[in-house]
PDB file of all heavy atoms in Angstrom:
ATOM      1  N   LEU A  50      -6.351  22.840  -5.293  1.00  0.00           N
ATOM      2  CA  LEU A  50      -6.348  22.830  -3.822  1.00  0.00           C
ATOM      3  C   LEU A  50      -6.876  21.506  -3.267  1.00  0.00           C
ATOM      4  O   LEU A  50      -6.329  20.975  -2.295  1.00  0.00           O
ATOM      5  CB  LEU A  50      -7.177  23.987  -3.267  1.00  0.00           C
ATOM      6  CG  LEU A  50      -6.546  25.365  -3.304  1.00  0.00           C
ATOM      7  CD1 LEU A  50      -7.507  26.404  -2.721  1.00  0.00           C
ATOM      8  CD2 LEU A  50      -5.228  25.396  -2.571  1.00  0.00           C
ATOM      9  N   ILE A  51      -7.929  20.979  -3.882  1.00  0.00           N
ATOM     10  CA  ILE A  51      -8.457  19.681  -3.445  1.00  0.00           C
ATOM     11  C   ILE A  51      -7.410  18.595  -3.665  1.00  0.00           C
ATOM     12  O   ILE A  51      -7.164  17.767  -2.777  1.00  0.00           O
ATOM     13  CB  ILE A  51      -9.766  19.344  -4.185  1.00  0.00           C
ATOM     14  CG1 ILE A  51     -10.874  20.311  -3.770  1.00  0.00           C
ATOM     15  CG2 ILE A  51     -10.195  17.900  -3.915  1.00  0.00           C
ATOM     16  CD1 ILE A  51     -12.103  20.261  -4.657  1.00  0.00           C
ATOM     17  N   GLU A  52      -6.780  18.605  -4.837  1.00  0.00           N
ATOM     18  CA  GLU A  52      -5.738  17.613  -5.134  1.00  0.00           C
ATOM     19  C   GLU A  52      -4.560  17.739  -4.175  1.00  0.00           C
ATOM     20  O   GLU A  52      -4.029  16.733  -3.694  1.00  0.00           O
ATOM     21  CB  GLU A  52      -5.252  17.774  -6.574  1.00  0.00           C
ATOM     22  CG  GLU A  52      -6.254  17.400  -7.617  1.00  0.00           C
ATOM     23  CD  GLU A  52      -5.796  17.688  -9.028  1.00  0.00           C
ATOM     24  OE1 GLU A  52      -4.828  18.464  -9.230  1.00  0.00           O
ATOM     25  OE2 GLU A  52      -6.414  17.147  -9.958  1.00  0.00           O
ATOM     26  N   MET A  53      -4.152  18.971  -3.888  1.00  0.00           N
ATOM     27  CA  MET A  53      -3.015  19.185  -2.990  1.00  0.00           C
ATOM     28  C   MET A  53      -3.347  18.721  -1.569  1.00  0.00           C
ATOM     29  O   MET A  53      -2.523  18.090  -0.905  1.00  0.00           O
ATOM     30  CB  MET A  53      -2.603  20.655  -2.992  1.00  0.00           C
ATOM     31  CG  MET A  53      -1.308  20.924  -2.245  1.00  0.00           C
ATOM     32  SD  MET A  53      -0.772  22.639  -2.444  1.00  0.00           S
ATOM     33  CE  MET A  53      -0.203  22.635  -4.145  1.00  0.00           C
ATOM     34  N   THR A  54      -4.545  19.013  -1.123  1.00  0.00           N
ATOM     35  CA  THR A  54      -4.984  18.570   0.201  1.00  0.00           C
ATOM     36  C   THR A  54      -4.973  17.044   0.274  1.00  0.00           C
ATOM     37  O   THR A  54      -4.492  16.463   1.255  1.00  0.00           O
ATOM     38  CB  THR A  54      -6.380  19.117   0.525  1.00  0.00           C
ATOM     39  OG1 THR A  54      -6.331  20.551   0.477  1.00  0.00           O
ATOM     40  CG2 THR A  54      -6.866  18.651   1.872  1.00  0.00           C
ATOM     41  N   ALA A  55      -5.498  16.404  -0.760  1.00  0.00           N
ATOM     42  CA  ALA A  55      -5.518  14.937  -0.792  1.00  0.00           C
ATOM     43  C   ALA A  55      -4.101  14.375  -0.781  1.00  0.00           C
ATOM     44  O   ALA A  55      -3.813  13.409  -0.067  1.00  0.00           O
ATOM     45  CB  ALA A  55      -6.284  14.448  -2.021  1.00  0.00           C
ATOM     46  N   ALA A  56      -3.206  14.983  -1.547  1.00  0.00           N
ATOM     47  CA  ALA A  56      -1.816  14.517  -1.588  1.00  0.00           C
ATOM     48  C   ALA A  56      -1.156  14.667  -0.215  1.00  0.00           C
ATOM     49  O   ALA A  56      -0.442  13.768   0.243  1.00  0.00           O
ATOM     50  CB  ALA A  56      -1.032  15.299  -2.649  1.00  0.00           C
ATOM     51  N   ILE A  57      -1.390  15.782   0.446  1.00  0.00           N
ATOM     52  CA  ILE A  57      -0.814  16.009   1.780  1.00  0.00           C
ATOM     53  C   ILE A  57      -1.372  14.998   2.781  1.00  0.00           C
ATOM     54  O   ILE A  57      -0.637  14.471   3.624  1.00  0.00           O
ATOM     55  CB  ILE A  57      -1.037  17.467   2.227  1.00  0.00           C
ATOM     56  CG1 ILE A  57      -0.189  18.399   1.359  1.00  0.00           C
ATOM     57  CG2 ILE A  57      -0.731  17.650   3.703  1.00  0.00           C
ATOM     58  CD1 ILE A  57      -0.533  19.871   1.488  1.00  0.00           C
ATOM     59  N   LEU A  58      -2.665  14.704   2.678  1.00  0.00           N
ATOM     60  CA  LEU A  58      -3.256  13.691   3.557  1.00  0.00           C
ATOM     61  C   LEU A  58      -2.606  12.318   3.323  1.00  0.00           C
ATOM     62  O   LEU A  58      -2.362  11.568   4.277  1.00  0.00           O
ATOM     63  CB  LEU A  58      -4.765  13.600   3.335  1.00  0.00           C
ATOM     64  CG  LEU A  58      -5.589  14.758   3.892  1.00  0.00           C
ATOM     65  CD1 LEU A  58      -7.015  14.713   3.350  1.00  0.00           C
ATOM     66  CD2 LEU A  58      -5.587  14.739   5.415  1.00  0.00           C
ATOM     67  N   LEU A  59      -2.327  12.003   2.072  1.00  0.00           N
ATOM     68  CA  LEU A  59      -1.688  10.712   1.767  1.00  0.00           C
ATOM     69  C   LEU A  59      -0.299  10.613   2.398  1.00  0.00           C
ATOM     70  O   LEU A  59       0.023   9.607   3.032  1.00  0.00           O
ATOM     71  CB  LEU A  59      -1.592  10.501   0.252  1.00  0.00           C
ATOM     72  CG  LEU A  59      -2.905  10.274  -0.488  1.00  0.00           C
ATOM     73  CD1 LEU A  59      -2.656  10.192  -1.990  1.00  0.00           C
ATOM     74  CD2 LEU A  59      -3.601   9.014   0.004  1.00  0.00           C
ATOM     75  N   ILE A  60       0.522  11.638   2.222  1.00  0.00           N
ATOM     76  CA  ILE A  60       1.879  11.566   2.778  1.00  0.00           C
ATOM     77  C   ILE A  60       1.835  11.631   4.304  1.00  0.00           C
ATOM     78  O   ILE A  60       2.616  10.961   4.982  1.00  0.00           O
ATOM     79  CB  ILE A  60       2.814  12.647   2.178  1.00  0.00           C
ATOM     80  CG1 ILE A  60       4.275  12.291   2.435  1.00  0.00           C
ATOM     81  CG2 ILE A  60       2.498  14.020   2.677  1.00  0.00           C
ATOM     82  CD1 ILE A  60       4.761  11.047   1.758  1.00  0.00           C
ATOM     83  N   ALA A  61       0.909  12.396   4.848  1.00  0.00           N
ATOM     84  CA  ALA A  61       0.762  12.462   6.304  1.00  0.00           C
ATOM     85  C   ALA A  61       0.354  11.104   6.863  1.00  0.00           C
ATOM     86  O   ALA A  61       0.787  10.723   7.955  1.00  0.00           O
ATOM     87  CB  ALA A  61      -0.260  13.528   6.692  1.00  0.00           C
TER      88      ALA A  61
END
Side-chain angles (χ1 to χ4, degrees):
L50 283 180
I51 293 167
E52 291 175 343
M53 188 173 287
T54 301
I57 291 167
L58 287 168
L59 291 176
I60 197 65

